Amino acid sequence: MDGIGTQSPPAQWLSEKSTAADIDRVEQFLNDQGTFRFPTLSSGLFSAAAGDHAEFGLTGYQNVWVRDNIHVAHALWVAGQKDVAVQAVEAFVSFYDKYQHKFVDIIEGRADPSDAQARPHIRFDGTALQENEEEWAHAQNDAIGYLLWLICKFLRSGDLKPSPELPQLLALIVKYLDAIEYWQDEDSGHWEETKKIEASSLGPVIAGIEQLLYWLDETDSELPGLTKPEIKEIQEKGIVALAEILPAECIQTDPSQNRRYDAALLFLAYPLDILDEEMTRQIAEDVRSHLSGPIGVRRYIGDSYWCADYRTLLAADKRTTDYSEDTSSRDALLKEGQEAQWCIFDPILSVIYGRLYLESRDEQDRERQLYHLQRSLGQLTSAESRFGAYRCPESYFLEAGEWIPNDICPLLWTQGNLLLALHWMKQSLQSA
């Protein structure tokens, strides 16, 4: 691996001849450049992005999102930074302990789950561990599922020590998911947009309950007010609903909801690991064939967030706002084929094919693992970027005909996913 750094573009740093030592050198170089800097708030949580430009405050990305933090914490945990990861999860437990009434009021029928503000908040002030007063699309079942999933993974690994109060919170989460009938609940999901019954929201809940059941069995523990058969029945309703939808994201007939392809489905394969090999390959190929673009991966066909000339068409305070009730005004700005190219997906595709390779030993899987890792490295910013070199953007968008990083740079979720891709590439090389 010659030419790392200024001598060759990042997409060319690795090849089919690379070794595990080359992966170490790439990771060390990027560490030295600050690429994998994950600044933590005083609570132990992470702002969604680490921007410092003049308009960053208007993006809202200084806030904490549950979903982003869970993905980041998991990536750091896999990479060996377990204390940092566990501290983030402990902060989430503290936050939701503080706001237990949000679960209880819906469980007991005092609050209406159709009011997103009445639901447990999934974007909040991560320093003060307080809800924001702003209205937001808090109907995001995937976020609650991810939270349950990682809490229970860390409990099972022994990295998170259960407090006396934790079983009560876990029970409230499950009862809440049952009360809203998550298996047929329309939520705003990963992209915080039009409410629908979506596979990418069902999957994290199913995975979360799966990890919970494993932990209960392994430790012979119980949750207050819930038996294991009751918990399993709640999970089974989601499993049945998910099987009816996959490999699509949403099969509701309303055109504003129906969606065949969505890159969020990749997370059901990794890190959630709830799909069989056939469905994993189907979804990965769907994304490659229908959503991959010249630089990154579209979230879905017709995605208007950061479409071409977004900064020109929308004022800074309107670019990242709550579009969960109506995306039509933003959708009107999109020209066909000019969706933003996101950077969180190629690293996950690389991981998926790497894990498939470890099972199949099919060289095509290894080639695809390398290809998507090369694309991931190629998405790092250049020295000419307004953000400086070797930063991980949220996405690239077209401005005046040129693909450039959007305002959300660096995005910590992208950084975490790139770390994972390097980790799993090293596993593949060491196993050869």
Side-chain angles (χ1 to χ4, degrees):
M1 183 194 67
D2 296 322
I4 184 173
T6 59
Q7 296 180 46
S8 62
Q12 296 177 16
W13 289 350
L14 298 173
S15 72
E16 66 279 356
K17 297 180 181 179
S18 295
T19 65
D22 292 326
I23 302 297
D24 287 337
R25 282 193 284 272
V26 168
E27 188 169 335
Q28 184 60 57
F29 175 80
L30 293 177
N31 271 319
D32 292 344
Q33 304 306 310
T35 305
F36 293 130
R37 187 176 70 90
F38 292 88
T40 56
L41 302 173
S42 57
S43 64
L45 292 171
F46 309 94
S47 295
D52 56 9
H53 55 86
E55 293 182 341
F56 178 70
L58 296 175
T59 69
Y61 278 63
Q62 71 277 11
N63 286 299
V64 158
W65 268 264
V66 173
R67 174 178 43 256
D68 293 48
N69 268 253
I70 294 300
H71 278 278
V72 169
H74 171 259
L76 292 173
W77 182 70
V78 170
Q81 299 181 46
K82 293 187 176 183
D83 290 347
V84 178
V86 171
Q87 188 178 15
V89 168
E90 288 174 339
F92 276 129
V93 171
S94 296
F95 174 77
Y96 286 110
D97 268 339
K98 182 177 180 180
Y99 290 98
Q100 279 193 23
H101 67 275
K102 285 293 182 76
F103 297 99
V104 174
D105 287 348
I106 287 178
I107 292 166
E108 297 184 355
R110 289 191 297 274
D112 182 359
S114 66
D115 175 9
Q117 299 306 111
R119 296 200 185 203
H121 284 201
I122 53 75
R123 165 173 139 150
F124 57 87
D125 181 333
T127 300
L129 293 183
Q130 290 183 351
E131 293 182 347
N132 295 326
E133 293 183 2
E134 64 183 357
E135 294 216 354
W136 198 254
H138 295 297
Q140 296 181 39
N141 300 338
D142 63 300
I144 301 299
Y146 279 125
L147 177 66
L148 180 62
W149 171 77
L150 199 58
I151 288 174
C152 294
K153 277 190 78 73
F154 286 2
L155 286 172
R156 293 184 65 208
S157 71
D159 294 307
L160 177 66
K161 306 304 179 186
S163 65
E165 301 79 21
L166 185 56
Q168 172 67 18
L169 178 61
L170 296 177
L172 286 178
I173 290 173
V174 176
K175 290 177 181 178
Y176 163 79
L177 292 165
D178 186 38
I180 63 171
E181 299 183 338
Y182 78 93
W183 55 90
Q184 57 185 359
D185 180 56
E186 294 185 350
D187 81 322
S188 296
H190 284 69
W191 313 137
E192 303 182 321
E193 294 178 349
T194 303
K195 292 178 182 175
K196 53 190 175 294
I197 303 170
E198 43 204 336
S200 66
S201 286
L202 290 168
V205 174
I206 294 165
I209 298 176
E210 178 181 69
Q211 290 297 318
L212 172 63
L213 288 167
Y214 285 151
W215 176 66
L216 292 174
D217 285 342
E218 290 164 1
T219 58
D220 198 25
S221 301
E222 295 182 350
L223 297 187
L226 277 175
T227 66
K228 290 178 190 175
E230 287 171 336
I231 298 170
K232 182 63 180 173
E233 183 180 354
I234 293 168
Q235 183 197 36
E236 187 61 31
K237 291 176 181 177
I239 292 172
V240 170
L242 181 62
E244 292 175 352
I245 300 172
L246 289 177
E249 165 72 332
C250 177
I251 58 173
Q252 290 171 270
T253 56
D254 186 325
S256 70
Q257 298 172 310
N258 186 274
R259 185 174 299 164
R260 174 61 180 85
Y261 307 109
D262 194 308
L265 294 169
L266 292 173
F267 303 127
L268 306 191
Y270 191 86
L272 297 177
D273 196 21
I274 60 167
L275 304 179
D276 62 22
E277 180 183 343
E278 181 180 2
M279 187 60 71
T280 295
R281 291 187 181 279
Q282 166 90 63
I283 288 172
E285 188 53 41
D286 282 348
V287 171
R288 284 165 49 86
S289 299
H290 298 278
L291 299 179
S292 287
I295 294 179
V297 175
R298 302 168 180 86
R299 297 191 300 182
Y300 58 89
I301 297 166
D303 180 14
S304 58
Y305 180 58
W306 283 98
C307 62
D309 298 313
Y310 202 66
R311 290 195 298 177
T312 304
L313 296 168
L314 285 174
D317 62 343
K318 300 295 184 184
R319 294 171 195 159
T320 306
T321 190
D322 184 358
Y323 283 99
S324 60
E325 297 299 327
D326 185 9
T327 61
S328 60
S329 62
R330 198 185 69 189
D331 291 345
L333 307 177
L334 175 67
K335 296 183 177 66
E336 185 177 354
Q338 295 187 353
E339 298 94 342
Q341 307 278 299
W342 281 61
C343 305
I344 60 174
F345 301 118
D346 276 295
I348 295 301
L349 280 165
S350 179
V351 171
I352 288 170
Y353 281 110
R355 284 163 55 87
L356 287 170
Y357 168 73
L358 290 172
E359 293 295 325
S360 69
R361 294 296 164 177
D362 185 332
E363 281 302 313
Q364 185 178 66
D365 288 335
R366 187 177 172 190
E367 289 167 6
R368 289 178 174 177
Q369 179 185 16
L370 175 62
Y371 170 76
H372 287 288
L373 177 53
Q374 289 170 328
R375 272 176 54 102
S376 303
L377 292 169
Q379 291 157 5
L380 292 168
T381 56
S382 66
E384 295 75 33
S385 166
R386 59 193 168 119
F387 303 107
Y390 308 116
R391 297 294 173 258
C392 293
E394 178 183 72
S395 71
Y396 281 78
F397 78 110
L398 276 171
E399 184 165 86
E402 179 185 359
W403 289 103
I404 64 170
N406 76 5
D407 289 355
I408 320 303
C409 182
L411 183 75
L412 271 61
W413 190 356
T414 310
Q415 295 176 187
N417 287 0
L418 180 56
L419 257 184
L420 288 169
L422 290 167
H423 170 85
W424 284 101
M425 190 76 234
K426 188 174 178 179
Q427 303 305 303
S428 291
L429 293 171
Q430 289 177 331
S431 72

